[in-house]
Amino acid sequence: MFVDVLVRVIPLFLVILIGYIASRWHKFSAAEAAFSAFVFHIALPALLFQLAARSDLSTGVPAAVPIVIALAAGIFAALVFGGLRLSSKGSARETMTTTMSASYGNVSYLGVPLVLGVLGTAGGLAASMGQLFHNIIFMVIYPMLHGMIARERGPEVSFWNQMRAVIYQALLKNPVVWAVTLGLVVSSANLTMPQPLTALTDVLAGAAAPGALFAIGLSMRRAVRVLREGNLRLGPIGVAALAKLALLPALTALLLVWISPDLPLVWKATVVLMAGMPTSATAFVLAQANNGDARPTAAIIVVTNAAAFLTLPLVAQVFISGS
């Protein structure tokens, strides 16, 4: 399992490396925003729609999958937040931002291509649903928690208004959510799409994996540049990075054994691999918006992405092999 996953992981990370190298070329230096927008709003939704629409829903989505993902995310975040609060002198706002950085895995841009590379088309439904559950939990729950912890005194937005704004932004305006939902509707209703539309989604879906990986590489330059500024507390960064790559997949695997020991391998492998994804570059943007100082997040992004090409095969070997 280790070698099998490593062989599939290396090409993916080489595309990320090519993207990072290209980001230093003036022709690509200003292309990150446009490239990421194409992937997020067009190519990735096309791929996820295609995967969902062509999936066999006869056995449904195991109820244990969202339950385990939610429990693992909640327990993990509580452990990291509590541990950092006890061991460091950072504020609650800073600790929440570091916890976010240790929780938000790159389940879309890297997780989907990796699961498809390891499991093939059989992992299509699991990959699309796995990344969807992860992103819904993170993009809804984290902003709400951060807002409650970091709220300044003075005029306050009500909890319900804040929740409505978060749900609208994270769900109703999210093209990935709509793509998976529409794909599931097509599959469950056994609808046949017109050939031109099928051909169109095939073309766009083909650009999703390489485009997403290249976009990760482009975004890494910003994180590396911030990291070089130095003056960082390495303790919390190291704890967060280690927890992201090792503790979260271990916790997820244990919960799977406890809650659903007979879960099919394709779902188990997907859930555990998604938990082991390195920190998403999107965490840097959220850290800037919510905290101002995004340097610790940049460090976690660089460290986890650099180490993940070895830790992901190890995760597969330890927690999936022999299942």
Side-chain angles (χ1 to χ4, degrees), residues 13-25 28 213-221:
F13 279 86
L14 287 177
V15 177
I16 296 175
L17 178 61
I18 291 171
Y20 173 70
I21 295 172
S23 71
R24 307 180 68 85
W25 189 17
F28 289 97
L213 297 169
F214 192 81
I216 295 172
L218 291 179
S219 68
M220 289 295 292
R221 185 185 180 191

Side-chain angles (χ1 to χ4, degrees), residues 43 56 58-59 67 74 80 110 112 149 212 224 227 261:
D56 180 7
S58 59
T59 58
I67 293 173
V80 173
L110 180 58
V112 173
I149 289 177
V224 171
L227 178 59

Side-chain angles (χ1 to χ4, degrees), residues 8-309:
R8 287 165 172 77
V9 164
I10 288 177
L12 303 182
F13 279 86
L14 287 177
V15 177
I16 296 175
L17 178 61
I18 291 171
Y20 173 70
I21 295 172
S23 71
R24 307 180 68 85
W25 189 17
H26 70 279
K27 291 183 180 294
F28 289 97
S29 58
E32 178 192 340
F35 212 95
S36 294
F38 166 74
V39 171
F40 182 73
H41 292 280
I42 299 176
L44 186 60
L47 173 62
L48 294 174
F49 169 79
Q50 182 188 78
L51 293 174
R54 296 177 179 176
S55 296
D56 180 7
L57 298 179
S58 59
T59 58
V61 177
V65 171
I67 293 173
V68 167
I69 291 174
L71 282 176
I75 296 171
F76 175 80
L79 289 174
V80 173
F81 183 84
L84 291 175
R85 286 293 287 167
L86 293 174
S87 62
S88 68
K89 299 179 179 179
S91 66
R93 180 197 291 255
E94 293 170 342
T95 304
M96 176 58 74
T97 299
T98 304
T99 301
M100 174 269 295
S101 304
S103 305
Y104 193 12
N106 198 343
V107 293
S108 296
Y109 282 20
L110 180 58
V112 173
L114 178 63
V115 169
L116 293 178
V118 173
L119 302 176
T121 55
L125 178 62
S128 58
M129 297 307 297
Q131 66 82 31
L132 183 64
F133 292 141
H134 268 278
N135 278 321
I136 288 176
I137 290 170
F138 185 86
M139 296 303 295
V140 172
I141 301 300
Y142 170 74
M144 293 171 59
L145 291 176
H146 195 285
M148 288 187 288
I149 289 177
R151 180 174 291 172
E152 304 291 342
R153 292 188 177 275
E156 297 182 349
V157 178
S158 72
F159 173 81
W160 295 112
N161 286 338
Q162 181 187 20
M163 187 171 68
R164 281 196 296 269
V166 168
I167 292 175
Y168 177 72
Q169 187 69 31
L171 301 182
L172 299 184
K173 289 185 65 176
N174 192 325
V176 169
V177 173
W178 283 107
V180 175
T181 302
L182 290 175
L184 293 175
V185 169
V186 169
S187 178
S188 61
N190 292 317
L191 299 177
T192 301
M193 295 190 299
Q195 181 58 32
L197 182 58
T198 300
L200 174 62
T201 57
D202 286 344
V203 171
L204 293 175
L213 297 169
F214 192 81
I216 295 172
L218 291 179
S219 68
M220 289 295 292
R221 185 185 180 191
R222 175 178 51 186
V224 171
R225 183 173 63 247
V226 173
L227 178 59
R228 286 176 175 172
E229 296 176 1
N231 299 322
L232 295 172
R233 291 182 296 160
L234 298 181
I237 292 171
V239 169
L242 180 62
K244 180 68 195 79
L245 297 176
L247 177 60
L248 183 53
L251 178 60
T252 301
L254 289 174
L255 287 172
L256 281 173
V257 172
W258 177 47
I259 294 175
S260 184
D262 297 326
L263 189 70
L265 179 59
V266 65
W267 287 99
K268 177 182 178 181
T270 298
V271 173
V272 174
L273 285 173
M274 288 289 187
M277 289 298 119
T279 299
S280 171
T282 306
F284 181 86
V285 178
L286 294 174
Q288 282 187 314
N290 291 317
N291 187 48
D293 184 5
R295 291 175 301 164
T297 300
I300 295 170
I301 292 170
V302 172
V303 170
T304 55
N305 277 271
F309 83 99

